[in-house]
């Protein structure tokens, strides 16, 4: 289940991609299939080991085209182990709501992104997320849980403040909002409640079969109750004079 829409976020074979806070690796796997040179990074070592296993299985099965590469590694989003301007593309999906220093994460992403590079950021949408917080404290008051709810204008303002230029937004996963409302209403850890189990079966069926009826329904509902807010931005090229000044400063410091 992808949150980033690759029709709005073009990816070329050979692009060097960082999936920051990759989790289980869903976006990293898609980038690998599209021929990118992917680095999947997360602070959770257990998840990274699983992602590495899946990368190996995909290579063995021939799912990635020639020239594509994939690396899974542990790392800190606030101290990325990469030189400046290392990546053509950065994806950070459902991560920033967990991190106290979100401006610091944005600064690190901008640092490792090449001028002209593209970035995709996804976070829980304000309205559906607010319902979850209202229904259940346990939903967000857990270690490593959500510490903030972004309004769209707030996130876009932080993106611009980091020096990026937003070029598009949309909402995703409308069918998942009611599921999480049910989870919060019946208990976040209570998977046995009948409404929760029934709706989960619906979601699994939708993900596996992709029937037209649910695809159309979700497209219509995404602007209203889409669970995720997605923003796309580019890192502008510096004007020649500014770029020269930066290069001169770097040489002086060296």
């Amino acid at each position: 289940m992808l949150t980033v829409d690759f029709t709005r976020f073009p990816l070329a074979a050979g692009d060097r991609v960082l999936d920051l806070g990759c989790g289980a690796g869903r976006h990293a796997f898609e980038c690998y299939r599209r021929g990118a040179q992917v680095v999947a990074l997360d602070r959770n070592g257990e998840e990274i080991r699983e992602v590495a296993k899946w990368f190996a299985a995909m290579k063995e099965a021939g799912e990635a085209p020639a020239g594509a590469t994939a690396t899974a590694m542990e790392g800190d989003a606030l101290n990325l182990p990469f030189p400046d301007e290392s990546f053509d593309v950065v994806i950070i999906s459902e991560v920033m709501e967990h991190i106290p220093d979100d401006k610091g994460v944005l600064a690190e992403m901008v640092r490792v992104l090449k001028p002209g590079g593209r970035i995709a950021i996804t976070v829980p949408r304000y309205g559906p997320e607010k319902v979850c917080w209202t229904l259940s404290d346990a939903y967000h008051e857990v270690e490593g849980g959500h510490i903030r709810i972004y309004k769209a204008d707030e996130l876009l303002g932080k993106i611009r403040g980091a020096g990026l230029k937003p070029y598009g937004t949309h909402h995703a996963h409308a069918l998942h909002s009611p599921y999480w409302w049910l989870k919060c209403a019946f208990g976040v850890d209570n998977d046995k409640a009948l409404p929760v189990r029934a709706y989960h079966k619906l979601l699994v069926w939708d993900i596996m079969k992709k029937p037209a009826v649910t695809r159309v329904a979700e497209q219509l509902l995404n602007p209203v109750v889409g669970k995720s807010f997605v923003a796309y931005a580019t890192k502008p090229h510096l004007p020649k004079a500014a770029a020269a000044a930066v290069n001169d400063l770097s040489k002086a410091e060296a």
Side-chain angles (χ1 to χ4, degrees):
M1 183 186 74
L2 299 174
T3 307
V4 172
D5 181 352
F6 286 93
T7 65
R8 309 179 193 221
F9 190 66
L11 191 68
D15 275 350
R16 186 162 167 78
V17 177
L18 173 63
D19 185 1
L20 181 55
C22 64
R26 57 200 174 105
H27 289 106
F29 300 150
E30 180 65 19
C31 294
Y32 189 32
R33 291 188 186 98
R34 290 171 177 261
Q37 297 176 10
V38 184
V39 176
L41 183 144
D42 200 283
R43 64 182 297 179
N44 187 315
E46 184 176 342
E47 286 197 310
I48 282 298
R49 286 187 287 274
E50 285 298 313
V51 169
K53 290 178 183 178
W54 278 106
F55 278 149
M58 291 172 67
K59 182 178 181 179
E60 181 70 20
E63 290 189 37
T69 62
T71 302
M73 61 185 297
E74 289 185 58
D76 181 359
L78 289 165
N79 186 24
L80 295 174
F82 310 112
D84 296 355
E85 301 179 5
S86 298
F87 294 94
D88 303 290
V89 173
V90 177
I91 296 171
I92 184 167
S93 182
E94 311 299 302
V95 173
M96 287 180 58
E97 68 276 9
H98 295 272
I99 301 177
D101 186 8
D102 57 349
K103 289 184 178 180
V105 173
L106 275 168
E108 272 293 87
M109 290 190 291
V110 171
R111 180 183 69 79
V112 302
L113 186 65
K114 296 177 182 179
R118 304 172 304 284
I119 188 166
I121 300 173
T122 91
V123 297
R125 184 183 186 176
Y126 183 85
E129 183 77 349
K130 190 68 173 179
V131 173
C132 290
W133 282 44
T134 301
L135 289 172
S136 171
D137 290 337
Y139 170 80
H140 64 95
E141 291 182 355
V142 295
E143 184 177 355
H146 299 183
I147 62 171
R148 70 174 65 83
I149 310 176
Y150 288 101
K151 291 185 177 180
D153 288 346
E154 175 193 3
L155 180 61
L156 291 171
K158 290 187 175 185
I159 290 171
R160 293 188 183 97
L164 297 167
K165 184 177 181 180
Y167 70 84
T169 65
H170 65 91
H171 300 97
H173 309 318
L175 295 182
H176 288 250
S177 290
Y179 173 70
W180 283 102
W181 297 339
L182 289 170
K183 289 270 287 182
C184 290
F186 286 93
V188 174
D189 297 321
N190 180 12
D191 293 327
K192 296 182 179 179
L194 179 59
V196 175
R197 287 191 290 116
Y199 202 95
H200 184 262
K201 287 183 179 179
L202 170 66
L203 292 180
V204 171
W205 173 74
D206 173 57
I207 291 170
M208 298 301 294
K209 301 297 184 181
K210 298 181 175 62
V213 62
T214 55
R215 296 299 86 220
V216 171
E218 186 155 74
Q219 288 177 10
L220 293 173
L221 290 171
N222 273 337
V224 183
V225 292
K227 183 74 170 66
S228 295
F229 174 71
V230 188
Y232 305 106
T234 59
K235 179 178 178 179
H237 289 275
L238 283 173
K240 289 184 179 180
V246 170
N247 288 334
D248 290 343
L249 178 61
S250 297
K251 292 177 180 177
E253 289 177 348

